[in-house]
């Protein structure tokens, strides 16, 4: 079969610059101004005067209250240089995430406009970065398969002046966009070998060392989980290892991502409604890939390895069956009671392999269980770890990035439910209660003693089935790329940033 190769995010369309110019006289298509509740203008001096004292009354007439996420557009009729003023609400007070979201909402509302300038209250480089990043993330669109192309804002100016901020925000935004593109790409254009090729291409360009194990090497190497999950598909599995080293690094981090390019459930097949968005089941591998690219581009003083555990989970005459026993890379045998609990099977091999790199910390990221969504909803990932400090560090890094995450336990008593009469462990507990935690308890069995490990279950946050909000579009969100980059920064030598 001949296959067309879709190009993936090689060109990012929106650029950002910082410029400490006067908002009132700034030449742009739309001036975005932040307002606190009331509404009270925040960050743009002289605006009310420029409008002859009538801006506040106009916003009031429009019903604009300055609530977080609120956007109102006002034609300026020559009062200021920009033809359009966009008022965006910041609520009563705002933190970094409030700035990211406000910038994202405002830029997202300007689809079809060429240039925008953001005049939000910015006093520090961190705040300027939040505005730049929120704006860039809000400008994301995915129209590769549509005839009616969208025209997001192409150029964003943040009206503030700090060195290096535009570059850093661009690297972060491009990493997120790369993951969103990969998640949004249909499985007909993204199968394991294709993902591996993209990793070689884009990872190589970023300066990463990239190694790919094909199905023969996986079989010979004893990766029973990847082989078992992938054997039902005509598109065989791959394990991609990305590595980045810095001569001044003191720490080594290992990231392991679940990369199921499509999860039908296998012979334990899913109903259609649960299957239609399972192209997003490679979001964990996407996050690891995006983070590795960004870490290299930022030149962080840390060593990092990233594993992409890639397979397509399909039913067929060659698919694995419920009750099959597979030999994992760690040497432990696993009874596959449910072929839809496949993520843990590819991750167990990735985690055991990652441990051989002697990392100070292993973090796996996965769209692992529907139970995560039951427990924590769409926007909050569950974080589990074999070390309390490590778990808190991951939760803190996520909070700093504005990504929802909450610490969860790994109750010892759940291990018994994974006992198998024929193998060392089963991939499913007999009851559904606590399934997110049971999946974590399963993975923990494949982390060698003495190795620190954290597990992020982001089944909900990886994909937005609802309407866009803040800087989050519909579809692939790029969740946890920025948290992983933040973790690398926290392990970098010296200032690191
Ligand atoms: N990829 C799914 C989990 C998932 C569900 C991700 C919804 C995103 C949204 C995973 O492979 C899966 O099928 N998990 C099963 C596990 C069960 C069989 C133990 C689940 O959660 O139902
Ligand atoms: Mn599944
Ligand atoms: Zn899955």
């Amino acid at each position: 079969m001949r296959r067309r190769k879709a190009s993936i995010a090689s060109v990012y369309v929106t650029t950002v610059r910082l410029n400490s110019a006067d908002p009132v006289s700034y030449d742009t298509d739309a001036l975005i101004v932040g307002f606190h509740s009331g509404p009270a203008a925040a960050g743009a001096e002289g605006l009310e005067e420029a409008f002859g004292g009538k801006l506040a009354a106009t916003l009031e007439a429009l019903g604009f209250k300055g609530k977080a996420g609120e956007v109102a557009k006002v034609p300026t009729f020559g009062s200021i240089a920009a033809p359009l003023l966009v008022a965006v609400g910041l609520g009563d007070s705002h933190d970094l995430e409030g700035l990211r979201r406000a910038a994202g909402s405002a830029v997202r509302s300007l689809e079809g406009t060429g240039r925008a300038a953001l005049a939000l209250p910015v006093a520090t480089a961190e705040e300027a970065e939040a505005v730049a990043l929120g704006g860039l993330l809000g400008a994301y669109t995915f129209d590769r398969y549509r005839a009616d192309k969208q025209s997001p804002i192409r150029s964003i100016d943040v009206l503030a002046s700090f060195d290096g901020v535009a570059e850093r925000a661009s690297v972060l935004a491009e990493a997120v966009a790369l993951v969103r593109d990969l998640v949004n790409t249909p499985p007909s254009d993204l199968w394991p070998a294709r993902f591996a090729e993209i990793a070689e291409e884009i990872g190589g360009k970023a300066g990463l060392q990239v190694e790919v194990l094909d199905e023969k090497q996986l079989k010979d190497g004893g990766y029973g989980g990847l082989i078992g999950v992938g054997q039902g598909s005509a598109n065989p599995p791959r394990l991609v290892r990305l590595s980045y080293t810095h001569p001044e690094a003191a720490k080594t981090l290992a990231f392991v991502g679940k990369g199921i390019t499509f999860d039908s459930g296998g012979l334990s097949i899913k109903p259609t409604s649960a299957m239609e968005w399972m192209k997003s089941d490679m979001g964990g591998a996407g996050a690891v890939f995006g983070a590795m690219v960004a870490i290299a581009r930022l030149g962080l003083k840390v060593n990092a390895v990233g594993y992409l555990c890639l397979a397509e989970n399909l039913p067929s005459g060659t698919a694995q069956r419920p009750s099959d026993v597979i030999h994992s890379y760690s040497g432990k045998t696993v009874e596959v009671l449910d072929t839809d609990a496949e993520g843990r099977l590819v991750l167990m091999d990735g985690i055991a392999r990652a441990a051989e790199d002697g990392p100070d910390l292993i973090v796996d990221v996965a769209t692992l269980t529907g139970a995560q969504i039951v427990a924590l909803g769409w926007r909050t990932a569950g974080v589990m770890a074999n070390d309390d400090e490590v778990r808190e560090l991951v939760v803190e890094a996520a909070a700093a990035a504005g990504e929802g995450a909450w610490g969860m336990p790994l109750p010892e008593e759940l291990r018994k439910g994974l006992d198998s009469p024929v193998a060392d462990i089963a991939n499913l507990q007999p009851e559904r209660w606590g399934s997110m935690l049971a999946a974590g308890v399963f993975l923990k069995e494949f982390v060698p003693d003495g190795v620190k490990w954290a597990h992020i279950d982001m089944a909900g946050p990886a994909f937005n089935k609802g309407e866009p909000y803040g800087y989050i579009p519909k579809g692939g969100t790029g969740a946890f790329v920025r948290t992983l980059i933040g973790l690398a920064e926290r392990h970098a030598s010296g200032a690191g940033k």
Side-chain angles (χ1 to χ4, degrees), residues 360-486:
D360 295 280
L361 171 63
I362 299 177
V363 181
D364 80 71
V365 198
T367 47
L368 204 60
T369 67
Q372 177 275 310
I373 307 173
V374 174
L376 295 169
W378 294 109
R379 300 190 193 177
T380 307
V383 179
M384 289 141 269
N386 61 2
D387 178 287
D388 290 346
E389 266 176 42
V390 160
R391 188 186 58 243
E392 290 316 309
L393 180 73
V394 173
V395 170
E396 180 269 316
E403 307 202 276
W406 205 252
M408 285 283 147
L410 291 171
E412 263 173 44
E413 69 273 16
L414 293 187
R415 175 60 187 83
K416 201 158 174 35
L418 296 169
D419 281 347
S420 159
V422 294
D424 297 329
I425 192 167
N427 78 330
L428 189 74
Q429 60 172 5
E431 58 174 33
R432 63 196 192 96
W433 316 116
S435 290
M436 165 175 56
L437 313 181
V441 167
F442 176 90
L443 292 177
K444 184 169 171 251
E445 291 287 315
F446 299 89
V447 183
D449 286 344
V451 178
K452 289 185 181 174
W453 158 80
H455 160 56
I456 304 175
D457 189 340
M458 52 148 196
F463 196 81
N464 178 21
K465 292 180 85 178
E467 289 309 306
Y469 58 92
Y471 53 80
I472 303 290
K474 224 179 160 62
T477 59
F480 286 89
V481 184
R482 291 181 300 115
T483 296
L484 297 188
I485 299 167

Side-chain angles (χ1 to χ4, degrees), residues 258 260 262-265 270 278 281-282 313 339-344 367-369:
K258 170 177 173 181
I260 303 299
F262 185 70
D263 182 14
S264 70
K270 289 179 184 295
M278 280 302 125
D281 214 19
M282 36 54 68
N313 190 21
T339 63
D340 198 13
E342 85 296 340
R344 61 198 74 181
T367 47
L368 204 60
T369 67

Side-chain angles (χ1 to χ4, degrees), residues 5 44 85 166 211 229 260 278 299 306 315 324 365 418 440 460 492:
K5 288 183 183 175
L85 178 90
E211 294 161 58
V229 173
I260 303 299
M278 280 302 125
D324 273 358
V365 198
L418 296 169

Side-chain angles (χ1 to χ4, degrees), residues 141 149 163 226-227 230 244 274 296 403 488 493:
T141 52
K149 298 295 180 203
D163 285 343
L226 277 153
I227 290 294
Y244 165 78
E403 307 202 276
S493 314

